[in-house]
Amino acid sequence: MATFLLLLFLLSGAASDLIVVTVDPGDDVILPCRAADSFIRAVEWTRPDLEPPEYVLLTIDGHLDPTHQHPSFKDRVELVDRDLKDGDVSLTLKNVSSIDNGTYECRVASAGSRRRRRSIRDSDPMRIIRLQVPEPAGE
């Protein structure tokens, strides 16, 4: 698992690059994202293909905001570094299954930013990750 995570970070080049991650059902996965600014006010992880368009994870001023979190991610996601040290805003997704297949986007608002939630979502993502969870063999 540690080798897999190291590979994920080595593959995470420029922010505009699409990263494709394949993980087995039942495993946990880290979706890497790093902000240039270490003073972070808000972190938003979304999946644009979800209906209704709710968050995978939204944290503001260090506090998780579950108000508009998509129910399929409740109690299954967390930031790797809750203290957001060194700009690490990577997401841990636990116990993945085929319903987690999709494109994930990471956005960040720095502490100096006065962006509201809507404007964070309207900004370009810092990282785009395509998660692939194949069906188990024999099903």
Side-chain angles (χ1 to χ4, degrees):
M1 182 69 167
T3 304
F4 177 73
L5 295 177
L6 177 61
L7 179 61
L8 280 180
F9 284 105
L10 292 176
L11 291 175
S12 59
S16 61
D17 294 343
L18 173 69
I19 298 173
V20 178
V21 176
T22 303
V23 63
D24 292 327
D27 284 352
D28 297 348
V29 66
I30 293 176
L31 305 180
C33 187
R34 183 167 296 278
D37 189 348
S38 60
F39 299 103
I40 298 167
R41 187 179 71 78
V43 178
E44 173 188 285
W45 278 91
T46 58
R47 236 182 83 188
D49 58 323
L50 285 178
E51 289 297 330
E54 295 176 298
Y55 297 102
V56 172
L57 178 137
L58 174 64
T59 180
I60 300 173
D61 296 326
H63 301 287
L64 180 65
D65 181 355
T67 309
H68 298 287
Q69 184 178 36
H70 194 276
S72 68
F73 295 104
K74 185 172 173 44
D75 299 324
R76 293 196 314 125
V77 292
E78 62 186 24
L79 294 176
V80 170
D81 180 5
R82 292 181 194 155
D83 296 329
L84 305 175
K85 294 177 196 157
D86 303 319
D88 186 0
V89 293
S90 301
L91 180 78
T92 300
L93 176 56
K94 300 175 185 177
N95 192 25
V96 299
S97 69
S98 59
I99 65 165
D100 296 316
N101 280 314
T103 301
Y104 293 75
E105 297 179 347
C106 170
R107 291 177 176 81
V108 173
S110 63
S113 171
R114 294 184 180 222
R115 290 182 173 178
R116 296 176 186 258
R117 278 184 224 166
R118 175 61 51 199
S119 64
I120 294 171
R121 181 170 280 186
D122 292 341
S123 67
D124 289 333
M126 295 180 56
R127 173 73 63 218
I128 301 173
I129 299 172
R130 173 82 180 131
L131 182 62
Q132 298 176 339
V133 184
E135 291 288 335
E139 289 190 19

